[in-house]
Amino acid sequence: MHDTRWGNLWVVVGVFLVTGGPFSRPSVAADELEIVSVTPPSPSALGYEERVVVTCRYTLESSESAHIWVRPFTGGANTPGSAAHPSPSYPRGAGEMEGWFTFSDDADVDEIRAEMRGPDNALLSEAVWRVEMSWRAPIQSQCTIMNVKFAPASPAKLSFGEHVEITYDYVAEEVGGIRIQSLPFAGGKMNQSYGCNPSPVYNGRGTGTAFFTVRDSGGRGSVAVGIDEFRLIVTSEDWKTKIAEIPFAVDFVFAEEDSAGDESPVLPSQGAPRIGEAFPRLEFQATDGRPVSTSDLLGRVVLVDFWATWCGPCRKEIPTLVSVYREHRDEGFEILGISLDKDRTALEKYTRDQEMSWPQYYDGQGWENAISTRFGITGIPASYLIDRGGKLRYADLRGAQLAAAVRNLIAEQR
């Protein structure tokens, strides 16, 4: 199989695999398996014996029972040296399960596979999720994090997309520097709808800043989301070695600003339209000089993608975007990139090297980018998928979910 760093569209034993998210391989009897979350998120650096927890949804129709296993892969082969969960026997029907795996030695994993097998060990369905995860021995480090402060202070109630700002003092004597990632948890599980800023490289002594938010209720209508724990994850500069994980008990609740009597979904950012409403008119001149207007794109399916070259999760999605764009461009699909970069040269080189031929907006203002500010973007990657009639249909889809949604909207009549 052909691989790039982040992956292309593959055919694997009759399965379409799009990286950065789940896919399912149903049997003729409609057996289905889907990976819905992976904790911790990718990219992640873990210590020996630290577990990756994978949540799957399944539908079993062809057999009275089945086993479901979650396994790590590297370069298309099962990663050696892993320890993983045993599988109970799951009865016919539908449900949700959790599996885990870990390592007691150095390991690098680029793919997670979940398999559902019948009593005769026949493969009924499988799902794949692309990741970048590393296990390394704990290292001796003089890194210290202290004087951590939250604004607003805990406890607090916030609107979806509103930032919790964090400041801390650090002492980083690690060669090459450190990165500090901020992640929200509830009940021991990481929130899957969070947003946070990417970490710069810290060296020496100083004060660091970060933020996190919960961008929506994860598709559960106007349900409030509670966060009871916040963790600072300290890694080496290349993200591969975890140096420390520092938990803090907190009490933050995120909810819609005004959800009374309103069950329609809201986007994970302030100032954005609701799904199903007309997308606001967007006009700009692209970096290559092209004039761009969403009004001129009526009749096409349009993805508005907020990203930056310095954003690791954004870069992870680029091969998927390139693949979907090439497949559907001539069928009426367009991408509008909104770059939060401050370095135009870096942006133009990256888009050229990655063959990202769609228009890019750039104003050099970073997080103060005029379009991202207008839409209240609080974390990237963030994206809006608009149908042929100019209505917003989806937000923040990635990987297989994005590819499937684009196919569906392309097939719709305006």
Side-chain angles (χ1 to χ4, degrees):
M1 293 184 294
H2 173 69
D3 187 12
T4 67
R5 182 179 179 194
W6 299 111
N8 288 317
L9 186 66
W10 298 344
V11 178
V12 184
V13 293
V15 180
F16 287 104
L17 165 60
V18 182
T19 66
F23 79 88
S24 63
R25 177 188 184 273
S27 74
V28 293
D31 298 320
E32 295 183 354
L33 184 64
E34 177 189 10
I35 297 175
V36 294
S37 68
V38 174
T39 304
S42 174
S44 281
L46 300 97
Y48 294 161
E49 307 298 339
E50 282 194 80
R51 294 181 177 183
V52 171
V53 178
V54 181
T55 302
C56 300
R57 293 193 188 105
Y58 66 88
T59 300
L60 176 62
E61 297 292 345
S62 68
S63 175
E64 290 299 322
S65 64
H67 293 275
I68 302 175
W69 288 279
V70 173
R71 298 290 184 265
F73 278 69
T74 304
N78 198 296
T79 313
S82 67
H85 66 101
S87 172
S89 179
Y90 294 96
R92 184 195 301 269
E96 192 169 284
M97 61 80 65
E98 277 192 357
W100 59 266
F101 64 87
T102 189
F103 292 88
S104 57
D105 205 346
D106 287 7
D108 296 294
V109 172
D110 59 26
E111 183 178 286
I112 297 172
R113 295 190 188 183
E115 296 183 346
M116 180 163 60
R117 293 184 177 271
D120 59 355
N121 204 39
L123 181 63
L124 304 178
S125 186
E126 66 178 338
V128 177
W129 192 286
R130 290 283 290 175
V131 296
E132 184 181 7
M133 294 179 167
S134 300
W135 279 256
R136 297 290 187 272
I139 63 175
Q140 297 298 319
S141 173
Q142 298 301 313
C143 171
T144 302
I145 307 294
M146 51 196 166
N147 300 327
V148 178
K149 298 178 180 178
F150 300 91
S154 174
K157 292 184 178 180
L158 304 96
S159 300
F160 287 134
E162 190 174 352
H163 289 186
V164 175
E165 306 285 347
I166 308 112
T167 60
Y168 47 80
D169 295 330
Y170 64 87
V171 179
E173 298 182 9
E174 183 65 27
V175 175
I178 62 170
R179 295 184 188 270
I180 303 173
Q181 187 176 17
S182 53
L183 298 175
F185 284 73
K189 294 185 178 181
M190 191 193 71
N191 180 274
Q192 297 297 317
S193 297
Y194 80 97
C196 68
N197 62 307
S199 170
V201 177
Y202 293 115
N203 286 283
R205 298 170 178 262
T207 298
T209 61
F211 74 79
F212 77 87
T213 186
V214 174
R215 300 189 289 188
D216 60 23
S217 62
R220 294 175 292 165
S222 41
V223 175
V225 176
I227 298 299
D228 59 22
E229 185 181 51
F230 168 80
R231 300 181 190 178
L232 285 176
I233 313 295
V234 184
T235 71
S236 55
E237 179 183 3
D238 62 6
W239 300 97
K240 289 185 177 294
T241 303
K242 178 185 283 189
I243 298 171
E245 180 172 322
I246 309 167
F248 299 87
V250 294
D251 182 8
F252 293 112
V253 176
F254 291 83
E256 292 182 19
E257 187 171 356
D258 182 10
S259 59
D262 184 359
E263 294 300 321
S264 59
V266 222
L267 288 178
S269 55
Q270 298 171 339
R274 295 179 184 274
I275 292 174
E277 292 184 352
F279 192 79
R281 186 174 180 178
L282 184 60
E283 294 183 332
F284 61 87
Q285 185 174 38
T287 53
D288 60 5
R290 278 181 282 180
V292 175
S293 172
T294 51
S295 298
D296 297 334
L297 296 174
L298 285 174
R300 300 177 68 85
V301 175
V302 179
L303 178 72
V304 180
D305 181 48
F306 294 82
W307 74 293
T309 61
W310 43 257
C311 167
C314 302
R315 293 197 305 271
K316 179 179 178 180
E317 290 299 308
I318 296 305
T320 295
L321 296 184
V322 171
S323 176
V324 174
Y325 189 63
R326 287 174 177 171
E327 182 179 357
H328 297 292
R329 174 178 50 193
D330 294 338
E331 300 174 312
F333 177 56
E334 186 58 84
I335 301 177
L336 304 180
I338 311 299
S339 170
L340 275 67
D341 283 281
K342 290 188 174 182
D343 186 336
R344 182 170 184 143
T345 300
L347 169 65
E348 293 177 340
K349 181 179 186 304
Y350 187 87
T351 54
R352 183 172 59 252
D353 291 347
Q354 300 300 316
E355 300 182 351
M356 300 164 62
S357 56
W358 53 87
Q360 297 287 338
Y361 172 79
Y362 167 87
D363 64 13
Q365 299 303 306
W367 284 105
E368 303 303 318
N369 174 299
I371 296 179
S372 66
T373 300
R374 171 186 170 192
F375 284 91
I377 298 300
T378 59
I380 55 174
S383 63
Y384 305 140
L385 187 58
I386 308 163
D387 68 15
R388 294 181 185 272
K391 289 184 179 180
L392 180 62
R393 296 288 292 276
Y394 301 98
D396 290 343
L397 296 182
R398 302 185 190 180
Q401 292 177 327
L402 173 62
V406 170
R407 284 195 299 271
N408 292 340
L409 293 184
I410 288 289
E412 288 183 358
Q413 297 298 317
R414 181 178 169 185

